[in-house]
Amino acid sequence: MPANFKTALIAARDIAEAGVRSALSGVDLPVAEAMSYAVIGGKGLRAFLVLEGAKLHNRASASAAPAAAAIEALHAYSLVHDDLPCMDDDALRRGLPTVHKKWNEATAVLAGDALQALAFQLVLQTQCSAEARVALALSLAEAAGLHGMVGGQALDIAAETAAAPLTLPEIERLQAGKTGALIEWSAMAGARMASADPTALQIYGRALGRAFQIWDDVLDVEGDAAKVGKALRKDDAAGKATFVSLLGLDQAKRRAAALVEEACDALSSYETRADCLRDAARFVIARET
Amino acid sequence: MPANFKTALIAARDIAEAGVRSALSGVDLPVAEAMSYAVIGGKGLRAFLVLEGAKLHNRASASAAPAAAAIEALHAYSLVHDDLPCMDDDALRRGLPTVHKKWNEATAVLAGDALQALAFQLVLQTQCSAEARVALALSLAEAAGLHGMVGGQALDIAAETAAAPLTLPEIERLQAGKTGALIEWSAMAGARMASADPTALQIYGRALGRAFQIWDDVLDVEGDAAKVGKALRKDDAAGKATFVSLLGLDQAKRRAAALVEEACDALSSYETRADCLRDAARFVIARET
């Protein structure tokens, strides 16, 4: 991992975690502890995208920090609910017990619910004009909901009981919602804060999200469960279609590499100031976890 | 039920349902159907409060409609998740199968999640200044989250495993979150849209919410399950403290009546224009469902 990117990623994760922790301080309930637990220890990629995009539009970290914390809270909520027994039924996340294993299902449902509300609370505290805050929060609601992330999760669940495995366009639509929508939102957030044109960052974020998901499928086949921190090869065992099962391992990797190129090229107008975002894109298809 | 109030309540419910339905149109997934099902058939009390408060501040129904739809979507999400097997484990709601019974648990989790996102999407589409939209959405996030509704639900769950039944101040804190926060938000929304002082409507909403919850406990003891549309006397069977178990039936009723008086008095500056809100408060302790 390039040193600059690594430093920025850790800083972004710390900023996001501090934002969430501060919002939870003073509440002495298991659900508050579970919310904090769910957010801590994530990679912080989405917070990094928010803060880097903000920097490109001359917004200081401090003013963009609530949006970075918001997207990590939203992402954490989706993982907590996704791990529930009635959903993916996962016992491990980032190498640690999932929230419903460490506490119980009711606490996991409520912690996820409160993290979603917290995400909207935080994003609305971003330091920018009221118009920009409305744009940030409205686009976050769209990215999180039926036409974004939850829609993708619903397609995923429908696929489990479908007669035939999904086709490539169906998988792409599913992933565009499930993983892509939040990554795209994160990349665009900085431009939105500045009420600037977010198109270049949107193209970057969309390509990055696609590469990210393809690489997750690659890791599910080639990865080391101890490093990835969760159970692997569940998709294959369940007969689920993935980018790897549909494209083959080699072509999946080539497609991910092409998407990374596309992501980097989209940032040309930002010149070398976007190098850290380019490093992030290249890292997505080099990571082992 | 006074005719004016009944007409306004039905109109509010229709406006809220239309807002939700229109946001869901074009999505052909069971989760979208479940979202619509969860919203349809509610009493519409929260939407009514939003629209009446808006009218007092000279905001037309059409401009306030997204906020009315938002609060009904948020309320519906909380019911869907509250009914889950790991939470209250209820099979019936408004006399019909709960979402996880009609579909399945995963669909209920996702429908609730998407309804919460939809609530924020809708509230941010309220026709008012960007500053007012930020104030509406931010206060909604606070009312919905750990310091509001979910906090109250978490206290409710903690109470189930507590060694001793809750005391009166503990029950009041629990209910202020679980039921009170959204009712108070609804009452205040119209003033917020107009960037006016929401204090009178806040006092009204807070007293109304308290009266509402006391009356729910009264109905749980005196009510007719067929009319109420859900299982009754579960609290008593579970040995849970309620306003009735703590105050006795007579004193609980007297306290509810005093709160309704307080709610009505708080609206004095609105003179007769607030009569429909006063009728609503009086109805809360006359209702059989």
Side-chain angles (χ1 to χ4, degrees):
Chain A
M1 196 187 290
N4 278 355
F5 169 51
K6 189 171 179 180
T7 307
L9 191 62
I10 292 172
R13 198 191 59 189
D14 289 351
I15 285 171
E17 290 183 1
V20 169
R21 233 191 254 112
S22 136
L24 296 176
S25 69
V27 181
D28 181 28
L29 277 172
V31 70
E33 223 183 303
M35 289 167 74
S36 181
Y37 177 85
V39 172
I40 305 299
K43 283 192 279 281
L45 176 67
R46 290 158 190 80
F48 160 83
L49 294 172
V50 168
L51 295 175
E52 283 297 313
K55 207 195 280 176
L56 289 179
H57 290 275
N58 304 310
R59 319 292 304 186
S61 272
S63 63
I71 195 68
E72 293 296 333
L74 198 87
H75 176 54
Y77 122 65
S78 77
L79 299 181
V80 171
H81 281 189
D82 219 32
D83 288 337
L84 284 169
C86 67
M87 304 276 290
D88 274 2
D89 193 14
D90 274 310
L92 278 181
R93 168 73 66 184
R94 298 162 183 163
L96 293 170
T98 46
V99 170
H100 66 273
K101 285 286 179 188
K102 195 168 162 76
W103 284 272
N104 52 54
E105 279 184 56
T107 302
V109 169
L110 290 178
D113 287 344
L115 279 167
Q116 181 167 199
L118 179 60
F120 287 101
Q121 184 184 321
L122 287 165
V123 78
L124 287 157
Q125 291 168 342
T126 308
Q127 286 169 38
C128 54
S129 71
E131 285 77 9
R133 274 184 279 166
V134 168
L136 280 170
L138 187 53
S139 55
L140 185 62
E142 287 161 355
L146 185 64
H147 296 272
M149 186 178 73
V150 175
Q153 290 172 307
L155 288 171
D156 205 9
I157 283 178
E160 278 169 23
T161 52
L166 297 187
T167 63
L168 193 58
E170 285 169 338
I171 289 261
E172 280 176 341
R173 187 173 152 225
L174 185 165
Q175 295 298 352
K178 191 174 173 184
T179 326
L182 292 198
I183 291 180
E184 197 176 307
W185 182 88
S186 305
M188 296 166 79
R192 285 202 169 104
M193 285 172 214
S195 302
D197 181 357
T199 309
L201 286 169
Q202 178 169 31
I203 296 168
Y204 167 84
R206 191 168 293 176
L208 182 75
R210 286 180 181 165
F212 192 90
Q213 187 53 50
I214 294 176
W215 204 256
D216 260 7
D217 286 353
V218 168
L219 284 178
D220 194 57
V221 174
E222 287 196 329
D224 174 340
K227 283 186 184 163
V228 177
K230 65 179 178 183
L232 295 180
R233 283 167 278 278
K234 284 180 66 174
D235 289 345
D236 192 36
K240 273 172 83 169
T242 69
F243 286 109
V244 172
S245 75
L246 287 164
L247 295 169
L249 199 52
D250 282 355
Q251 213 200 314
K253 285 181 178 180
R254 272 199 299 273
R255 184 184 280 235
L259 284 163
V260 166
E261 278 313 296
E262 185 189 328
C264 292
D265 291 349
L267 302 173
S268 58
S269 67
Y270 295 108
E271 301 176 349
T272 56
R273 292 187 302 132
D275 277 350
C276 206
L277 283 177
R278 291 189 189 93
D279 285 343
R282 290 187 197 107
F283 176 71
V284 154
I285 57 165
R287 70 198 160 97
E288 295 181 341
T289 67
Chain B
M1 195 187 290
N4 278 355
F5 169 50
K6 190 171 179 182
T7 307
L9 190 63
I10 291 170
R13 199 192 58 191
D14 289 351
I15 285 171
E17 290 182 0
V20 169
R21 232 191 256 113
S22 136
L24 297 176
S25 69
V27 181
D28 182 27
L29 277 171
V31 70
E33 220 183 307
M35 289 167 74
S36 181
Y37 177 86
V39 172
I40 306 299
K43 283 192 277 283
L45 176 67
R46 291 157 190 79
F48 160 83
L49 293 172
V50 168
L51 295 175
E52 282 296 313
K55 206 195 281 177
L56 289 180
H57 289 274
N58 305 310
R59 321 291 303 183
S61 272
S63 63
I71 195 67
E72 292 296 333
L74 198 87
H75 177 54
Y77 121 66
S78 77
L79 300 181
V80 172
H81 281 189
D82 220 32
D83 288 337
L84 284 169
C86 68
M87 304 278 288
D88 275 1
D89 193 15
D90 274 311
L92 278 182
R93 165 75 63 186
R94 297 163 184 163
L96 293 170
T98 47
V99 170
H100 67 273
K101 285 287 178 188
K102 194 167 163 77
W103 285 271
N104 52 54
E105 280 186 55
T107 302
V109 169
L110 290 178
D113 287 346
L115 279 168
Q116 181 168 197
L118 179 60
F120 287 102
Q121 185 185 319
L122 287 165
V123 78
L124 287 157
Q125 291 167 343
T126 308
Q127 286 168 39
C128 53
S129 72
E131 286 78 9
R133 273 184 280 167
V134 168
L136 280 172
L138 187 53
S139 55
L140 186 62
E142 288 161 355
L146 185 65
H147 296 272
M149 186 179 72
V150 176
Q153 289 172 307
L155 289 171
D156 206 9
I157 283 178
E160 278 169 21
T161 53
L166 296 186
T167 62
L168 192 59
E170 284 169 338
I171 289 261
E172 279 175 342
R173 190 175 150 222
L174 185 164
Q175 295 298 352
K178 193 175 172 184
T179 326
L182 292 198
I183 291 180
E184 196 175 308
W185 182 89
S186 305
M188 295 167 80
R192 284 203 169 103
M193 284 173 214
S195 302
D197 181 359
T199 309
L201 286 168
Q202 179 170 30
I203 296 169
Y204 167 84
R206 190 168 293 175
L208 181 75
R210 286 181 180 163
F212 192 90
Q213 187 53 51
I214 294 175
W215 205 255
D216 260 6
D217 285 353
V218 167
L219 283 178
D220 194 58
V221 173
E222 286 196 330
D224 174 341
K227 282 187 187 163
V228 178
K230 65 179 180 184
L232 295 179
R233 283 166 278 276
K234 284 180 68 175
D235 290 346
D236 192 37
K240 273 171 83 170
T242 68
F243 287 109
V244 172
S245 75
L246 287 163
L247 295 169
L249 198 52
D250 281 356
Q251 214 199 315
K253 286 182 179 182
R254 270 198 299 275
R255 182 182 282 234
L259 284 163
V260 166
E261 278 312 295
E262 186 188 328
C264 292
D265 291 350
L267 301 174
S268 58
S269 67
Y270 295 109
E271 302 176 348
T272 56
R273 292 188 302 132
D275 277 350
C276 206
L277 283 177
R278 292 188 189 94
D279 284 343
R282 291 187 198 106
F283 176 72
V284 154
I285 56 165
R287 70 197 158 98
E288 294 182 342
T289 66

